[in-house]
Amino acid sequence: MTINQSGWRPSAPEQGNATAPTFTGNKALMLEEPLIFEIGSTDTTGVDFAEGDVAGSRLGNLSRTAPIGLPGLAEPEAVRHYTRLSRQNYAIDLGLFPLGSCTMKHNPRLNEKVARMPGFADVHPLQPVDTVQGALGVINELAVWLIKLTGMHGVAMSPKAGAHGELCGMLCIKAALEARGEGHRKIVLVPESAHGTNPATAAFAGFQVEDIPATPEGRVDLDAMKTRLGPDVAGVMITNPNTCGLFERDMKAISDAVHDAGGYVYCDGANFNAIVGRVRPGDLGVDAMHINLHKTFSTPHGGGGPGSGPVVLSEALSPFGPLPFTERHADGHITLVEEETVGDRHPHSFGRMTAFHGQMGMFTRALTYILSHGADGLRQVAEDAVLNANYVLRSLDDTLDAPFGDSGPCMHEALFSDNGLADGFSTIDVAKGLIDEGFHPMTMYFPLVVHGAMLIEPTETESKAALDQFIGALRSVAERAKAGDTALKTAPHFAPRSRLDETQAARKPVLVWKDPDMAMAAE
Ligand SMILES: *Cc1c(COP(=O)(O)O)cnc(C)c1O
């Protein structure tokens, strides 16, 4: 097909054939959209500049001789281009988004309203603190809530995502070990059931990662871990609830053993939404834990907005936490502690994670969420998230294999495997079938401890009706995969693009558009 000047790929609809392609390639509300380079013309601009009165260029022989090749569109064309593309995407505001471990739940509009209040949205990080007492008050109050909810001693608010929080926590551990003269402790133990960011973080922070195996019921093998502890071990990183969707019941025993061996306990608390209001990690002996505000406390994420990963710290690690942090004085005035040397009170800080104090917009949203739920409401968040996940698990374990279905109730996510699908069918075929059913697929092939994993996190914000529709869709697709329905091998059939060669797309992505005219001119 050729592309004409306006970017359309005209084709001839066959008369009398109701399903033949349309002239435009559009299918009613499903609109085809070429690349911006294919519709834009470099001569077009949405801006009308006055003729300049400065004669000549001051760039000398550095001025550009060939066109820059940027696409040019008038404003309405640019708006339409991106709006059309956005309609080819799935979003949490369109339907259930069962991506396990990612906690794609409804973002209350109240959060958005508060985050847009000019006193929060329009402040500048370099404003004098006297002029931003309200914004600092939000950071401070959120910090107090996070410390209370986790039973910890301190919190570093500045990390900007979960993995960034992990790095912050591991740098605290590193600084604490060095302060003790034990910088030689280089080994960090990470169980198989940990989130993939954990070993990556430990390695990035300069530690050596060693695996600890999982038990057949999907939890950390406590005995194997105890055997490995010793004077070279800096600590452990445990995801709890883990990525099999299970609570690590031995957490206290793990912490005690690690502390006895002189190490620290990092807990990946990204999935705090499953236990908030029910368990305080501080009571379990945790030394550092990040909380993904964008998961537990509902701020938009995953292409929809930035994350935020504050790290709560034990008394042992708090002195090493990063700057800056807020401090509320007896008269209510809040200051930012910016320097290691202030009053000699924070001389051990390992430094900074970010230039300023972190993601202000996420703090405002998270605190709004916390205050609008209240302590009892937050507890119900965890209870309903767990209830919904167990409803999915028990509704489908007669159709799909649930490898840890006998390990007791799951937490916030339900885990299935591809065991029992027809020969040649795998998790990917089920996922692509779900796209045709109008759902974003679940997390696939993760965690690695399960063959062909399908990890489903429904979250607490889905109604029973929505869950029933999703369960019905997944059951139908799973039954087709078990029966060997070959149409599933080429799904999705109704999406704007059909099945891609994913290996090629990952290994040899075509990231640069080449102007066919220029290519022709070069020949
Ligand atoms: C989401 C998640 C992370 C990473 O968080 P980011 O904000 O994406 O960096 C780490 N661990 C677990 C268990 C998670 O679910």
Side-chain angles (χ1 to χ4, degrees), residues 441-511:
M442 60 283 171
T443 292
M444 303 187 291
Y445 301 105
F446 178 83
L448 304 176
V449 279
V450 165
H451 194 269
M454 303 176 208
L455 189 63
I456 298 170
E457 180 173 7
T459 82
E460 76 283 1
T461 58
E462 296 303 328
S463 66
K464 179 162 179 298
L467 292 182
D468 284 337
Q469 193 197 32
F470 172 73
I471 289 164
L474 183 49
R475 176 187 299 283
S476 154
V477 175
E479 274 163 4
R480 287 169 62 202
K482 287 167 84 169
D485 175 358
T486 49
L488 210 48
K489 295 291 313 172
T490 47
H493 300 284
F494 305 131
R497 291 295 174 273
S498 186
R499 180 92 58 120
L500 304 173
D501 181 338
E502 304 212 345
T503 312
Q504 284 286 84
R507 300 254 163 89
K508 291 191 184 158
V510 180
L511 301 175

Side-chain angles (χ1 to χ4, degrees), residues 24-64:
T24 52
N26 296 338
K27 293 181 195 133
L29 291 177
M30 209 200 295
L31 303 176
E32 265 300 318
E33 185 62 5
L35 296 178
I36 196 166
F37 294 98
E38 293 168 335
I39 45 176
S41 136
T42 48
D43 309 332
T44 312
T45 166
V47 194
D48 218 356
F49 284 121
E51 202 65 48
D53 54 3
V54 183
S57 158
R58 286 184 288 169
L59 291 172
N61 61 1
L62 295 175
S63 73
R64 182 178 287 280

Side-chain angles (χ1 to χ4, degrees), residues 101 161-163 166 195 197-198 239 243 268 270-271 290 292 294-295:
S101 212
E166 290 174 33
H195 194 264
T197 47
N198 295 184
T239 302
T243 54
D268 180 332
N271 300 327
H290 72 271
N292 288 27
H294 47 293
K295 293 179 181 169

Side-chain angles (χ1 to χ4, degrees), residues 194-465:
H195 194 264
T197 47
N198 295 184
T201 298
F204 191 73
F207 294 105
Q208 287 152 29
V209 179
E210 284 186 25
D211 273 353
I212 337 174
T215 62
E217 61 157 20
R219 296 188 167 93
V220 173
D221 186 331
L222 181 60
D223 291 329
M225 193 206 73
K226 278 185 177 164
T227 314
R228 182 56 192 86
L229 287 172
D232 56 341
V233 173
V236 296
M237 293 185 83
I238 312 270
T239 302
N240 198 14
N242 72 26
T243 54
C244 301
L246 301 174
F247 189 74
E248 294 287 355
R249 293 175 182 156
D250 288 333
M251 195 66 206
K252 186 71 174 71
I254 292 171
S255 301
D256 289 346
V258 173
H259 289 154
D260 285 348
Y264 292 100
V265 177
Y266 189 91
C267 177
D268 180 332
N271 300 327
F272 193 48
N273 57 310
I275 58 172
V276 60
R278 303 230 19 155
V279 180
R280 300 192 316 162
D283 298 338
L284 302 176
V286 168
D287 288 300
M289 181 182 97
H290 72 271
I291 302 168
N292 288 27
L293 298 187
H294 47 293
K295 293 179 181 169
T296 303
F297 302 117
S298 83
T299 70
H301 59 291
S308 180
V311 184
V312 285
L313 297 167
S314 64
E315 195 167 359
L317 289 188
S318 287
F320 304 97
L323 301 167
F325 57 88
T326 56
E327 203 167 51
R328 183 187 279 277
H329 301 270
D331 63 356
H333 194 73
I334 300 172
T335 50
L336 264 185
V337 179
E338 293 265 17
E339 311 282 343
E340 284 89 334
T341 49
V342 170
D344 260 353
R345 279 181 300 112
H346 206 63
H348 302 297
S349 167
F350 72 73
R352 277 176 183 265
M353 292 301 292
T354 61
F356 301 114
H357 48 259
Q359 306 278 38
M360 189 65 212
M362 300 302 118
F363 297 157
T364 331
R365 287 175 175 88
L367 185 61
T368 305
Y369 182 85
I370 287 174
L371 293 179
S372 57
H373 279 71
D376 55 336
L378 289 177
R379 185 185 170 102
Q380 198 185 336
V381 161
E383 289 170 351
D384 290 352
V386 170
L387 180 65
N388 278 0
N390 278 283
Y391 184 64
V392 171
L393 180 66
R394 294 310 164 199
S395 300
L396 286 164
D397 64 1
D398 58 341
T399 306
L400 282 167
D401 172 52
F404 302 119
D406 297 333
S407 305
C410 64
M411 297 301 289
H412 58 300
E413 51 197 2
L415 178 59
F416 298 101
S417 84
D418 65 358
N419 207 352
L421 303 186
D423 252 6
F425 283 76
S426 177
T427 298
I428 186 120
D429 306 309
V430 177
K432 299 297 184 190
L434 267 183
I435 294 178
D436 275 341
E437 293 287 348
F439 289 103
H440 191 287
M442 60 283 171
T443 292
M444 303 187 291
Y445 301 105
F446 178 83
L448 304 176
V449 279
V450 165
H451 194 269
M454 303 176 208
L455 189 63
I456 298 170
E457 180 173 7
T459 82
E460 76 283 1
T461 58
E462 296 303 328
S463 66
K464 179 162 179 298

Side-chain angles (χ1 to χ4, degrees), residues 45-193:
T45 166
V47 194
D48 218 356
F49 284 121
E51 202 65 48
D53 54 3
V54 183
S57 158
R58 286 184 288 169
L59 291 172
N61 61 1
L62 295 175
S63 73
R64 182 178 287 280
T65 52
I68 192 166
L70 290 177
L73 298 178
E75 183 173 301
E77 292 169 331
V79 169
R80 280 190 186 155
H81 175 70
Y82 290 106
T83 306
R84 282 166 179 253
L85 288 184
S86 76
R87 287 166 47 119
Q88 302 191 357
N89 252 330
Y90 198 74
I92 187 64
D93 290 341
L94 287 173
L96 192 149
F97 209 127
L99 213 45
S101 212
C102 297
T103 317
M104 305 301 287
K105 63 183 179 186
H106 173 65
N107 303 298
R109 293 306 184 264
L110 179 63
N111 299 356
E112 300 305 313
K113 186 172 178 185
V114 176
R116 281 164 178 69
M117 289 165 73
F120 298 130
D122 294 347
V123 295
H124 191 279
L126 290 178
Q127 256 174 265
V129 292
D130 284 343
T131 67
V132 286
Q133 285 293 301
L136 292 181
V138 165
I139 301 177
N140 199 75
E141 173 130 9
L142 179 60
V144 170
W145 269 94
L146 297 181
I147 289 172
K148 274 244 162 66
L149 287 169
T150 54
M152 299 287 279
H153 186 81
V155 60
M157 298 297 289
S158 59
K160 295 198 173 184
H164 203 211
E166 290 174 33
L167 182 62
C168 174
M170 293 313 286
L171 291 177
C172 288
I173 290 177
K174 196 174 185 178
L177 287 170
E178 277 163 11
R180 262 166 46 186
E182 294 193 39
H184 57 269
R185 288 180 178 258
K186 285 280 180 234
I187 307 293
V188 169
L189 304 179
V190 180
E192 281 176 349
S193 54

